[in-house]
Amino acid sequence: MVDKVSETQITAPKKLCTAKREACLVHIYPTGPTMGCRYPLTDRPLVLGRGEDTDIRLGDNSVSRKHALIEPNADGYYVSDQQSTNGTFVNDKQLDGMLLLKDGDYLRVGNCLYRYLAGGNIEAEYHEEIYRLTILDGLTQIHNKRYLDEFLGREVIRSQRHHRPLSVLALDIDKFKTINDDLGHLCGDFVLRELADVIRGTTRQEDLFARSGGEEFVVVLVETTKDGAVLVAERIREAVAAHQYRFENTPINLTISIGLASTVGIPPITADELRNEADQKLYEAKRTGRNRVCS
């Protein structure tokens, strides 16, 4: 019996160390020189914060000096908040105590967002995550402007070749600057993520929903006429206005304005021209009172 216990004590740490060397955090938001950086997790605790003595130092005012702690354990890595001002979140749920991280979890420290990877092939998962960063928006996890430009370009060519309908919706949050100014950028980020979730639930799989920048979004509706696109736009507008947004017990009334442009491939039109038409209609919706669709 004693020999078996001794053998376990000798061999277990080796297996534990191997597993830990495979785990890491990948910085996915905000964009900048640190996006895509990989931080390996080892057998010692790791502190994230703004202080000079932290292991991952974040120069963001939304981050406390000692914000979050990641600690190794026999069954993986546990994360806990260190009495930070803005809290620590995993998959958009605020931590209350310690939580075991699972492969693919999103860890948010202030405005900064990380992806926790601990799969069997960490190199493959890391490179897959880097690819995701090239086509997805780190904050909202919907497609970004780069992918939007490529997708819309292909669909415009297809529309012209086969004379098929194609519609574009340009969406913008009404008075978003007021939300940022009154409630802070953490609330602004929350609103963008929550809005993306609401709109994502109203779009078809074959369509594209993307963030084109700031509080601006675009929906590309494949095989959709102008009349059909108006119905979709109104459904999206109503869903956004009806959703209950609440940030730290503060209710937020949110509406969006939508501009719409359509083509059937005749006369020929470029992707940029179609986007510009939708943007012009969006500006019209803003000028004429907001919380409306203009086509």
Side-chain angles (χ1 to χ4, degrees):
M1 179 70 69
V2 175
D3 290 341
K4 290 182 179 179
V5 172
S6 300
E7 183 181 357
T8 303
Q9 290 173 339
I10 294 172
T11 58
K14 293 181 180 179
K15 295 178 181 178
L16 184 59
C17 290
T18 301
K20 287 183 173 165
R21 280 197 298 268
E22 293 178 348
C24 69
L25 294 177
V26 181
H27 182 110
I28 64 175
Y29 184 84
T31 58
T34 58
M35 189 177 77
C37 283
R38 175 169 55 175
Y39 300 94
L41 301 181
T42 63
D43 291 328
R44 66 179 184 85
L46 182 145
V47 178
L48 296 88
R50 195 160 41 89
E52 294 183 1
D53 57 343
T54 54
D55 300 291
I56 300 181
R57 189 180 178 190
L58 307 171
D60 192 300
N61 290 332
S62 66
V63 178
S64 298
R65 291 189 176 276
K66 187 179 180 181
H67 198 114
L69 174 67
I70 296 178
E71 298 179 277
N73 204 304
D75 51 350
Y77 288 92
Y78 284 82
V79 60
S80 59
D81 183 71
Q82 300 299 292
Q83 298 182 331
S84 67
T85 301
N86 293 313
T88 302
F89 296 76
V90 174
N91 301 328
D92 279 334
K93 294 182 180 178
Q94 186 167 1
L95 289 181
D96 182 15
M98 298 180 68
L99 178 71
L100 176 65
L101 288 170
K102 297 178 181 178
D103 187 35
D105 277 349
Y106 290 95
L107 171 66
R108 181 157 58 87
V109 177
N111 281 327
C112 302
L113 193 62
Y114 296 86
R115 187 89 183 271
Y116 172 71
L117 300 179
N121 189 341
I122 197 68
E123 284 299 321
E125 289 197 9
Y126 173 68
H127 290 294
E128 175 65 21
E129 188 64 28
I130 295 301
Y131 170 72
R132 282 167 49 84
L133 289 177
T134 67
I135 64 171
L136 295 183
D137 174 60
L139 179 65
T140 60
Q141 292 300 295
I142 62 175
H143 284 100
N144 59 17
K145 185 178 183 301
R146 171 181 173 177
Y147 190 83
L148 166 65
D149 291 342
E150 295 175 356
F151 183 91
L152 183 57
R154 292 194 303 267
E155 289 303 321
V156 166
I157 292 173
R158 191 176 73 88
S159 172
Q160 293 175 357
R161 182 177 298 155
H162 302 290
H163 299 165
R164 301 302 301 166
L166 175 68
S167 296
V168 172
L169 307 181
L171 299 78
D172 187 270
I173 300 176
D174 296 329
K175 299 182 178 180
F176 183 70
K177 186 178 184 299
T178 302
I179 295 174
N180 272 335
D181 291 345
D182 293 348
L183 299 174
H185 289 282
L186 279 177
C187 179
D189 284 353
F190 161 79
V191 165
L192 291 171
R193 288 194 303 271
E194 192 86 354
L195 176 81
D197 286 342
V198 171
I199 297 177
R200 183 161 37 205
T202 67
T203 56
R204 303 174 303 180
Q205 186 174 359
E206 60 266 34
D207 298 328
L208 177 71
F209 173 42
R211 184 184 180 193
S212 55
E215 69 273 25
E216 299 174 357
F217 299 84
V218 171
V219 179
V220 181
L221 300 171
V222 179
E223 293 285 338
T224 305
T225 62
K226 176 182 175 180
D227 290 342
V230 169
L231 295 176
V232 174
E234 287 291 355
R235 185 168 67 242
I236 291 174
R237 185 190 62 78
E238 292 171 0
V240 169
H243 187 74
Q244 299 296 311
Y245 303 87
R246 183 174 293 274
F247 178 74
E248 295 181 348
N249 297 322
T250 302
I252 303 168
N253 295 321
L254 198 68
T255 62
I256 59 173
S257 299
I258 304 177
L260 188 160
S262 295
T263 180
V264 290
I266 304 173
I269 188 172
T270 68
D272 286 342
E273 289 169 342
L274 193 61
R275 279 285 309 276
N276 287 338
E277 282 190 19
D279 286 340
Q280 291 304 315
K281 291 300 179 182
L282 171 61
Y283 299 146
E284 181 181 331
K286 293 283 190 181
R287 289 194 305 268
T288 54
R290 301 185 180 91
N291 189 24
R292 62 187 61 200
V293 176
C294 284
S295 63

